[in-house]
């Protein structure tokens, strides 16, 4: 499995940057809820890959991508095909 690491500045309320090191893709996967995993499987059929999981307060938001298109999945498994995210370069 490719080790994709990323960080982002997001518009999620309560965002607080506490990360010292960037987790690998397996650590991101373990942060997903069951609903997020099912939603991700549906997207994976179309070539989307897990990019990272943003944690803020008690919320985990999965960010998946296909080429340059980003999609988010909230903890309830709801998919947002037009999220308001700004990525920063590493």
């Amino acid at each position: 499995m490719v080790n994709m690491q990323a960080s982002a500045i997001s518009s999620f309320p309560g965002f607080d940057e506490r990360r010292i090191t960037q987790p690998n893709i397996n650590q991101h996967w373990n942060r997903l809820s069951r609903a997020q995993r099912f939603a991700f499987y549906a997207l994976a059929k179309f070539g989307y890959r897990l990019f990272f999981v943003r944690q803020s307060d008690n919320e985990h938001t999965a960010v998946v991508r296909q080429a340059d298109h980003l999609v988010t999945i909230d903890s309830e498994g709801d998919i947002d095909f037009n999220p308001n995210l700004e990525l920063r370069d590493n």
Side-chain angles (χ1 to χ4, degrees), residues 7-67:
S7 57
I9 299 173
S10 75
S11 62
F12 297 117
F15 172 73
D16 183 17
E17 181 68 36
R18 293 183 212 143
R19 183 178 47 241
I20 295 171
T21 61
Q22 296 179 356
N24 66 37
I25 200 67
N26 291 327
Q27 291 169 319
H28 285 302
W29 180 255
N30 291 331
R31 292 179 179 168
L32 296 180
S33 69
R34 181 173 289 183
Q36 285 173 313
R37 289 179 185 188
F38 280 113
F40 172 74
Y41 286 139
L43 292 172
K45 293 177 185 179
F46 299 103
Y48 285 89
R49 303 224 181 249
L50 181 61
F51 194 33
F52 61 90
V53 176
R54 167 62 64 220
Q55 181 177 348
S56 60
D57 295 328
N58 295 323
E59 179 74 18
H60 290 97
T61 302
V63 178
V64 298
R65 76 179 202 180
Q66 179 188 49

Side-chain angles (χ1 to χ4, degrees), residues 47-48 51 63-71 81 83 85 87:
Y48 285 89
F51 194 33
V63 178
V64 298
R65 76 179 202 180
Q66 179 188 49
D68 290 334
H69 185 240
L70 296 176
V71 174
F81 286 96
L85 292 174
L87 297 181

